Amino acid sequence: MFTAKPSSFLSSSISAISGTVSNLNHELLEYVNPEKPTHDHSSVYYQRFFISQFNLGDKSIEAKFSSPMKIADGDHITVAGYQKGEALQVLAYNNQTQQVSSNENWIMLGLGALFFFAVAIGLLNSELVAEGALIPKLFLFGFTLVAMYMGYRALLIREAVKLLSN
């Protein structure tokens, strides 16, 4: 098992660990959209998160992706992510045994961040914010926070992918 860190401003956040998968546990969290029609049972209205918990050597690993991880007990994998509590939260992985690598789409997160930032700029230039109305200022603050979070998350995933490619 080895650990590597990238050389960038996110280096304190992201690290990579390689090892053999043991104690694998897959879970599925499924949320239903409360606004969907009651007679429609289409999966489009469900939000699914696939959670995989396992060990790499003596390290506890947890991964939450929108599609299931392609791993099994005994696979040799490299994961990149950040430490959260006791477990490493996976942002990207490379399974050398099955020749599979995956990560969440950081480009779409970046585009979403730009969209929310553009909406915030539009609100900043609105007359309601200039007049001092409270609600538009709250929306401005909220859109700015969402844009910052999505942008930071996109940068973390991009850094994890770069770390795995080295």
Side-chain angles (χ1 to χ4, degrees):
M1 181 170 88
F2 80 90
T3 303
K5 290 195 176 233
S7 59
S8 75
F9 75 99
L10 295 172
S11 63
S12 63
S13 300
I14 304 295
S15 61
I17 299 173
S18 182
T20 304
V21 175
S22 62
N23 299 330
L24 179 62
N25 181 24
H26 290 294
E27 293 180 30
L28 171 67
L29 287 179
E30 192 169 62
Y31 298 98
V32 178
N33 182 353
E35 297 175 359
K36 87 172 190 72
T38 55
H39 64 279
D40 188 357
H41 297 291
S42 171
S43 64
V44 174
Y45 294 103
Y46 293 93
Q47 178 66 46
R48 291 184 174 97
F49 295 100
F50 296 92
I51 301 172
S52 298
Q53 297 170 328
F54 54 93
N55 293 334
L56 284 181
D58 60 345
K59 288 288 247 182
S60 178
I61 310 293
E62 184 174 300
K64 294 177 186 171
F65 288 106
S66 58
S67 60
M69 284 183 78
K70 293 178 176 67
I71 60 172
D73 276 324
D75 283 358
H76 186 72
I77 69 169
T78 303
V79 297
Y82 59 94
Q83 194 70 30
K84 184 177 179 185
E86 300 278 324
L88 182 82
Q89 299 295 313
V90 176
L91 296 171
Y93 72 95
N94 185 3
N95 186 336
Q96 291 88 7
T97 305
Q98 297 182 25
Q99 302 296 318
V100 175
S101 62
S102 183
N103 59 281
E104 291 295 334
N105 194 340
W106 64 270
I107 295 171
M108 290 307 292
L109 269 174
L111 290 174
L114 288 174
F115 172 76
F116 277 99
F117 188 65
V119 171
I121 294 295
L123 279 173
L124 184 61
N125 293 327
S126 74
E127 291 181 23
L128 291 173
V129 171
E131 291 173 0
L134 178 63
I135 300 299
K137 285 183 180 180
L138 290 175
F139 275 106
L140 173 66
F141 182 70
F143 279 114
T144 303
L145 282 179
V146 169
M148 289 173 48
Y149 173 75
M150 290 177 78
Y152 178 70
R153 185 89 177 157
L155 287 174
L156 284 177
I157 293 170
R158 182 175 167 265
E159 195 65 30
V161 170
K162 281 178 32 180
L163 183 60
L164 286 180
S165 66
N166 291 341

